[in-house]
């Protein structure tokens, strides 16, 4: 199996949960990752910040002070990053994580026809849109629509990444 690497800033924050002791961010699934169990796998490495892997039910348990964050990955491959609510607020947690890398194990990838996924990123490298699998001709239309309808003097430029679509088996 191969490995993938992604920064938190490249993932989308899908949800924010406020708990009794901790708050946590739920990020979009790790791209093309193998399916994780709901227990502790140990095959995901988060760099540059003290972290520990836990199970989902412990997201609101007091965090050992030696860790800035604790994380959990369940079978949906969504990464849940919990943090002590006295140390960070939502914006502070997102800001402190955005340049942190995640190294993870890829699943077994099989090409899905002649389809690609287009990822649009803003000038900060953050993902702002991801298409469903489409042909290259369809994606040309999507890209030209984005370029024709977006004001770059206000929002900055967009960059596009085309990734072959795979089924994970």
């Amino acid at each position: 199996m191969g490995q993938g690497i992604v920064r938190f800033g490249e993932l989308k924050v899908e949800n924010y949960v406020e708990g009794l002791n901790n708050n946590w961010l739920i990020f979009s699934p790790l791209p093309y990752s193998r399916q994780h169990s709901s227990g502790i796998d140990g095959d995901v490495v988060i760099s540059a910040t003290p972290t520990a892997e836990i199970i989902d039910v412990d997201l609101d348990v007091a965090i050992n002070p030696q860790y800035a964050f604790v994380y959990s990955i369940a079978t949906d491959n969504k990464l849940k990053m919990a943090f002590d609510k006295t140390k960070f607020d939502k914006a502070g947690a997102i800001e402190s994580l955005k340049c942190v890398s995640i190294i993870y194990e890829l699943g077994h990838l099989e090409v899905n026809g002649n389809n690609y996924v287009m990822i649009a990123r803003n000038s900060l490298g953050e993902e702002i849109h991801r298409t469903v699998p489409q042909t290259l001709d369809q994606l040309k239309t999507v890209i030209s629509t984005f370029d024709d309808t977006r004001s770059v003097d206000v929002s900055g430029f967009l960059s596009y990444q085309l990734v072959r679509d795979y089924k994970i088996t």
Side-chain angles (χ1 to χ4, degrees), residues 84-117:
D84 187 324
K85 58 182 10 175
T86 63
K87 291 184 180 178
F88 296 103
D89 61 3
K90 178 182 177 183
I94 291 171
E95 183 66 25
S96 67
L97 287 170
K98 75 179 182 179
C99 292
V100 173
S101 296
I102 308 158
I103 300 170
Y104 60 95
E105 195 174 315
L106 295 173
H108 183 271
L109 306 178
E110 290 182 12
V111 174
N112 183 16
N114 288 323
N115 293 321
Y116 293 80
V117 173

Side-chain angles (χ1 to χ4, degrees), residues 47-149:
S47 67
T49 190
T51 60
E53 187 172 4
I54 60 170
I55 56 175
D56 274 3
V57 295
D58 288 342
L59 285 170
D60 204 23
V61 173
I63 297 172
N64 183 329
Q66 76 182 30
Y67 300 114
F69 296 92
V70 293
Y71 66 95
S72 176
I73 305 170
T75 54
D76 60 3
N77 281 344
K78 292 184 180 184
L79 185 59
K80 298 162 188 94
M81 293 295 291
F83 51 92
D84 187 324
K85 58 182 10 175
T86 63
K87 291 184 180 178
F88 296 103
D89 61 3
K90 178 182 177 183
I94 291 171
E95 183 66 25
S96 67
L97 287 170
K98 75 179 182 179
C99 292
V100 173
S101 296
I102 308 158
I103 300 170
Y104 60 95
E105 195 174 315
L106 295 173
H108 183 271
L109 306 178
E110 290 182 12
V111 174
N112 183 16
N114 288 323
N115 293 321
Y116 293 80
V117 173
M118 188 270 305
I119 303 163
R121 298 187 189 282
N122 64 17
S123 56
L124 299 174
E126 300 166 331
E127 181 178 323
I128 61 164
H129 184 76
R130 181 181 294 254
T131 65
V132 296
Q134 297 178 352
T135 65
L136 289 173
D137 285 336
Q138 292 168 320
L139 290 174
K140 284 182 199 175
T141 304
V142 173
I143 290 170
S144 66
T145 302
F146 264 73
D147 285 345
D148 293 344
T149 60

Side-chain angles (χ1 to χ4, degrees), residues 13-78:
V13 176
E14 292 186 348
N15 204 353
Y16 172 70
V17 179
E18 293 185 20
L20 186 60
N21 297 306
N22 305 323
N23 295 334
W24 57 94
L25 301 165
I26 301 174
F27 289 89
S28 56
L30 296 171
Y32 303 114
S33 176
R34 74 169 185 81
Q35 187 175 24
H36 292 269
S37 67
S38 56
I40 299 173
D41 293 319
D43 62 350
V44 171
V45 177
I46 297 176
S47 67
T49 190
T51 60
E53 187 172 4
I54 60 170
I55 56 175
D56 274 3
V57 295
D58 288 342
L59 285 170
D60 204 23
V61 173
I63 297 172
N64 183 329
Q66 76 182 30
Y67 300 114
F69 296 92
V70 293
Y71 66 95
S72 176
I73 305 170
T75 54
D76 60 3
N77 281 344
K78 292 184 180 184

